[in-house]
Amino acid sequence: MTGIRRDSVRNRARLVEAAREVFAARGFEATLDDVARHAGLGTGTAYRHFPNKQALAAEVLTGATEQIAIDARAALEIDDPWLGLVDFFQRNAERQARDRGLYEALTGLGDDEAQARIWPGIITAVSELFDRAHAAGVLRPDAAAQDIPAIFAMLGPAFEMSRTIAPDLWRRYLTLMLDGLRATGRPDLPAPPPPVESLPLILRAGKRT
Amino acid sequence: MTGIRRDSVRNRARLVEAAREVFAARGFEATLDDVARHAGLGTGTAYRHFPNKQALAAEVLTGATEQIAIDARAALEIDDPWLGLVDFFQRNAERQARDRGLYEALTGLGDDEAQARIWPGIITAVSELFDRAHAAGVLRPDAAAQDIPAIFAMLGPAFEMSRTIAPDLWRRYLTLMLDGLRATGRPDLPAPPPPVESLPLILRAGKRT
DNA sequence: ACGAAACGGAGAAGCAATCTCCGCATCTTT
DNA sequence: AAAGATGCGGAGATTGCTTCTCCGTTTCGT
């Protein structure tokens, strides 16, 4: 009887690491072949360790996604309700700006179950941030927690620009939107926020069929 | 010698009309076959009248794109500098919300020459709107004309949501961003606006290679 | 040194879009 | 009304991917 081969274990780890880098840089459009090559391994090896791209992606994203809800809770520790909100958005935007795969997983382009699993937790956690800010009167009264996925979706193009133009450019546009969210005597927002049931649709919007 | 056949002329017109509808609804991902079928014609007919999809798209977009610069000039007729700016954004967003093909043509996903042809005119026209608003002190001082394409790019996801959730939803997020642009004692924007030379890159960002 | 396990990468298989081809239908002209 | 020219239709050839398999060769563990 033979034991577990050391090279096999090492190659699996290399694949995961390569996938992390490749998906972050190019999103899920990258092929498993791309990942394998980047890991210095053959295609066959990639397919022996993972049945398909989704499986590998799932492995890579676990943790990255949990982090989001953790961040939301951390933001609640910050005393100033406004700064807490800003902190949440900045932390998460920062990650997504660096990781295209993460952005795609959170908004529509990745796989569906992942989204369904992740967002409810985020919304719940962030709703508290919103409630607190509303109570303190620092957030415009007509802003709602349902606006969060929409805001992240809109940041997507800003992340892309950041990649090609200047790494920090997204901060400019996030600030613009956050300033729009502030409560300082401006007109009411037109149109109600999207209904909660349509959250999945918000995220799917833009997904090319 | 034979004259021009009437059915041929009519079919060409039908194709253009069908293309207008199909591209508006589904963007340029639609195939020429799709357009032909929607026109009630065969694929071959489509390819006889237009060498390829781009040619048809060009025909459909002429006019729609000129309209934008016209709108910008019209907005200058409005006395209130702020309202003029809002008017410009709203008119254009409205068109793009209804016409996915137009949005794609203006931002990165369409064909490149079209963009190069259109944007300079827009920027020039809108720069005046910005200058006027800056002079009146109604626009945050650190906002620049280069931010316009970026803002439109970010509205893209909002347009998609509007299509699937509520037709007016984009107004909510446009207002959010415009409110962020307003001059009412808020912190400076981080990161400078993208340099003018990088405008094409801004629009290309998000274009999948 | 031997057998089991894993590797590599060419290429099979599948898929989707673009575009061609030619027998058939429809027009215009006389 | 007949004839020739022109346009139509849509099946399928072509092209360009990506996904995934297969098996001769290499590397590992005992």
Side-chain angles (χ1 to χ4, degrees):
Chain A
M1 201 166 321
T2 332
I4 297 158
R5 284 177 57 157
R6 215 183 281 104
D7 57 345
S8 170
V9 177
R10 189 199 44 185
N11 285 340
R12 187 180 203 281
R14 282 192 184 161
L15 280 168
V16 174
E17 180 53 24
R20 214 181 296 281
E21 294 173 13
V22 171
F23 289 152
R26 319 217 332 258
F28 294 125
E29 77 174 357
T31 68
L32 247 202
D33 293 46
D34 290 331
V35 173
R37 195 128 326 144
H38 191 253
L41 299 170
T43 323
T45 307
Y47 279 94
R48 192 156 340 86
H49 285 288
F50 302 92
N52 52 44
K53 193 160 67 171
Q54 287 72 18
L56 180 50
E59 177 117 0
V60 164
L61 287 171
T62 319
T65 51
E66 290 164 5
Q67 189 64 37
I68 299 174
I70 294 175
D71 280 349
R73 283 191 288 275
L76 278 167
E77 301 293 314
I78 296 176
D79 284 340
D80 182 309
W82 178 253
L83 291 182
L85 207 59
V86 170
D87 179 78
F88 167 78
F89 275 105
Q90 277 185 352
R91 268 187 213 284
N92 280 108
E94 198 135 22
R95 280 207 195 80
Q96 293 180 46
R98 268 201 298 268
D99 190 336
R100 192 189 229 166
L102 180 58
Y103 171 76
E104 290 179 359
L106 289 174
T107 54
L109 299 106
D111 106 36
D112 286 349
E113 329 137 24
Q115 269 171 250
R117 196 175 57 244
I118 299 160
W119 277 102
I122 303 179
I123 297 288
T124 326
V126 180
S127 291
E128 263 186 88
L129 278 170
F130 263 57
D131 289 347
R132 205 172 57 141
H134 271 144
V138 293
L139 185 62
R140 68 190 301 162
D142 48 2
Q146 296 103 285
D147 291 319
I148 294 164
I151 290 171
F152 274 111
M154 288 190 284
L155 281 174
F159 296 147
E160 295 301 327
M161 295 170 215
S162 301
R163 283 185 196 104
T164 50
I165 298 168
D168 271 356
L169 195 51
W170 63 267
R171 293 180 191 277
R172 183 174 177 87
Y173 298 108
L174 173 56
T175 303
L176 197 71
M177 291 207 256
L178 289 178
D179 284 350
L181 278 175
R182 279 189 139 164
T184 30
R186 56 185 101 260
D188 286 349
L189 287 177
V196 228
E197 317 88 71
S198 64
L199 284 189
L201 282 177
I202 295 179
L203 297 167
R204 288 189 76 94
K207 187 173 204 162
R208 297 263 123 180
T209 47
Chain B
M1 205 174 302
T2 332
I4 297 157
R5 284 178 56 158
R6 216 181 279 105
D7 58 344
S8 170
V9 176
R10 191 200 43 189
N11 284 341
R12 188 181 203 282
R14 281 193 187 162
L15 280 168
V16 173
E17 180 51 26
R20 215 182 295 281
E21 294 172 15
V22 171
F23 288 152
R26 319 219 330 260
F28 294 126
E29 76 172 359
T31 69
L32 249 202
D33 294 44
D34 289 331
V35 173
R37 197 132 321 145
H38 190 255
L41 299 170
T43 322
T45 308
Y47 278 94
R48 194 159 336 88
H49 285 288
F50 302 92
N52 52 45
K53 193 161 65 171
Q54 287 72 19
L56 181 50
E59 177 118 358
V60 164
L61 286 172
T62 320
T65 51
E66 291 163 7
Q67 189 64 37
I68 299 175
I70 295 175
D71 280 350
R73 283 191 288 276
L76 278 168
E77 302 292 315
I78 296 175
D79 283 341
D80 183 308
W82 178 252
L83 292 182
L85 207 60
V86 170
D87 178 78
F88 167 78
F89 275 105
Q90 277 183 350
R91 271 187 211 284
N92 280 108
E94 198 135 20
R95 280 207 195 80
Q96 294 180 46
R98 268 201 299 268
D99 190 337
R100 192 188 230 167
L102 180 58
Y103 170 77
E104 290 179 358
L106 288 174
T107 52
L109 299 107
D111 107 35
D112 287 348
E113 328 138 25
Q115 269 172 248
R117 198 175 55 245
I118 298 159
W119 277 101
I122 304 179
I123 297 288
T124 326
V126 179
S127 292
E128 264 185 86
L129 279 169
F130 264 57
D131 289 347
R132 207 172 55 142
H134 271 142
V138 293
L139 185 62
R140 68 192 299 165
D142 49 1
Q146 297 102 284
D147 291 320
I148 294 164
I151 291 171
F152 274 110
M154 287 191 284
L155 280 174
F159 296 146
E160 295 300 325
M161 295 170 213
S162 301
R163 285 188 193 101
T164 50
I165 297 167
D168 271 355
L169 194 51
W170 63 267
R171 294 179 192 277
R172 183 175 178 88
Y173 298 109
L174 173 56
T175 302
L176 198 70
M177 289 207 256
L178 290 178
D179 284 350
L181 279 176
R182 280 190 137 165
T184 30
R186 56 184 101 262
D188 286 348
L189 287 177
V196 228
E197 318 87 70
S198 65
L199 284 189
L201 282 177
I202 296 178
L203 297 167
R204 290 188 74 95
K207 186 173 206 163
R208 296 263 125 180
T209 46

